[in-house]
Amino acid sequence: MTIPRALFLVVLTGAATAFAEWRVSLPGWNYEFPRDHGAHTDFKTEWWYFTGNLESQDGEDFGYQLTFFRQGIIEPGREIPASNFLQRDMKFAHFAVSDISSKKFHHSQKLARGAFGEAGFEEGDRLAWIDRWSCQRIGPHDFHLLASYGDVSVDLTLRSQRDPVIHGKNGVSQKSEGEGRASHYYSLTRMATTGTVQIGKKIHSVSGLTWFDHEWATNQLAANQSGWDWFSLQLEDGSDLMLFQIRTKEGGRDPYSSGTFVSQTGESQKIRLADFDLAPVDWWTSPHTKARYPVAWKISIPSRKLDLTVRARFQDQELASQPFSYWEGAVSAEGTCHGQPVKGKGYLEMTGYSGRIVGMQAE
């Protein structure tokens, strides 16, 4: 369904009160699993974010995204009357399937208060759900996903091949200057994925890899930050890469842009701003929003002797919706690592190209 703009604005901005009673992300967080796969309701914003590239038994390619969001609207310390209609948070979700073989993009979003249990977080092994979209934990780091929209659906089992990778330093991923202007952020970077993708009347048996991000925080983007470009790449040599740059309104790159490189053995290394170069090499203008997105990029990490060209597997993968639109789609990667050819697949998210990021932009 399409979320009405006014209602979505209420969800994202919440009550017009200070964040003093919301917990902020500070150094020293002690990650514990499976506890930290669950909800962190002392923080204002949280998401469980799955993206993957899949191939069917008959050779057709698909990408998918399923993300569950929790947005706090009543501080945890505030007393409220007992009522189904007074909920401390709102629940919403995004679902998209990229039919790469036919270059068709299907996407939808849902919003619910959860007053009667139709949406929520952490009920036994069910981590997040909204109507019939759900994420259930089936092992220490394994999940079952369900989502459907019209005649498009996924039913997927994800089994992690690696332990969680913690991003940032000392338990936090800093996003801008100032104490607490950060998030707690980890990923399961390489999850073996099997199941089905249905488009129309055809059900495809698929397999491939999924990337899972879980992030929780309270503070928003700083006033001078306009959006971000985020990459998750799974390379055929067994290594993985997460990289993001935060763009400033002046056209520069924020110093808190960073990433994480994961080796074939699962060891992780922080990538700092000075460690990487990122440059767009091709652009696409959306017929839906008229936004102009860079859909191909050059990535260079000299310390890893890694040079990649990352391209959209097809260009029109924009989630054009209210109150803001963004590009989120399947990509391919090709280049060299230590002089040897390397290929891979992944996902790219680009925000702030079609206008202000409502609810995440500081005034």
Side-chain angles (χ1 to χ4, degrees), residues 107-248:
H107 67 93
S108 181
Q109 56 185 356
K110 286 180 177 286
L111 167 70
R113 179 182 290 147
F116 298 98
E118 75 279 9
F121 305 98
E122 256 192 300
E123 181 182 74
D125 288 331
R126 190 164 60 156
L127 292 184
W129 70 96
I130 181 166
D131 296 332
R132 295 184 179 181
W133 302 5
S134 67
C135 167
Q136 182 172 356
R137 192 170 63 83
I138 56 174
H141 308 304
D142 307 326
F143 305 95
H144 180 221
L145 304 181
L146 289 172
S148 61
Y149 165 62
D151 58 2
V152 177
S153 68
V154 297
D155 183 339
L156 301 172
T157 298
L158 285 52
R159 298 195 181 277
S160 184
Q161 300 176 340
R162 290 192 170 137
D163 290 335
V165 173
I166 310 302
H167 300 297
K169 181 180 179 181
N170 200 12
V172 295
S173 174
Q174 196 75 24
K175 296 302 195 296
S176 60
E177 183 70 30
E179 185 179 68
R181 301 194 71 85
S183 68
H184 299 301
Y185 177 19
Y186 72 88
S187 300
L188 296 171
T189 65
R190 189 167 286 253
M191 306 190 77
T193 303
T194 57
T196 60
V197 173
Q198 179 174 355
I199 297 181
K201 295 181 179 180
K202 188 171 183 180
I203 299 176
H204 306 265
S205 294
V206 295
S207 61
L209 290 176
T210 290
W211 182 292
F212 168 54
D213 270 358
H214 188 192
E215 196 162 0
W216 58 98
T218 291
N219 286 342
Q220 303 169 322
L221 291 178
N224 71 324
Q225 296 173 325
S226 62
W228 63 83
D229 308 297
W230 172 91
F231 299 80
S232 65
L233 301 175
Q234 295 146 328
L235 302 180
E236 290 180 358
D237 67 0
S239 61
D240 303 320
L241 176 66
M242 183 280 291
L243 203 64
F244 68 85
Q245 68 170 6
I246 301 175
R247 305 185 310 279
T248 66

Side-chain angles (χ1 to χ4, degrees), residues 233-303:
L233 301 175
Q234 295 146 328
L235 302 180
E236 290 180 358
D237 67 0
S239 61
D240 303 320
L241 176 66
M242 183 280 291
L243 203 64
F244 68 85
Q245 68 170 6
I246 301 175
R247 305 185 310 279
T248 66
K249 291 180 178 179
E250 295 76 23
R253 189 167 66 169
D254 191 272
Y256 290 100
S257 305
S258 66
T260 304
F261 181 85
V262 185
S263 72
Q264 293 93 329
T265 58
E267 297 173 327
S268 62
Q269 176 190 4
K270 180 177 173 60
I271 306 295
R272 295 172 177 81
L273 175 70
D275 297 331
F276 71 95
D277 294 314
L278 187 60
V281 293
D282 194 14
W283 296 78
W284 170 76
T285 299
S286 166
H288 317 292
T289 64
K290 308 307 178 185
R292 188 168 179 258
Y293 294 97
V295 291
W297 295 78
K298 291 281 190 182
I299 296 175
S300 177
I301 306 176
S303 64

Side-chain angles (χ1 to χ4, degrees), residues 6-73:
L7 181 55
F8 205 103
L9 287 171
V10 171
V11 172
L12 288 177
T13 57
T17 58
F19 290 167
E21 296 185 38
W22 294 103
R23 190 172 179 180
V24 297
S25 300
L26 298 173
W29 183 272
N30 180 28
Y31 289 85
E32 294 182 14
F33 299 99
R35 180 201 71 181
D36 278 328
H37 290 322
H40 301 78
T41 56
D42 288 346
F43 294 83
K44 189 172 179 64
T45 302
E46 185 167 15
W47 56 78
W48 296 256
Y49 172 83
F50 299 88
T51 55
N53 282 270
L54 309 172
E55 183 176 347
S56 72
Q57 292 179 345
D58 52 3
E60 296 190 62
D61 289 336
F62 303 94
Y64 85 94
Q65 174 207 359
L66 180 60
T67 308
F68 295 92
F69 300 90
R70 181 190 59 79
Q71 186 72 19
I73 53 177

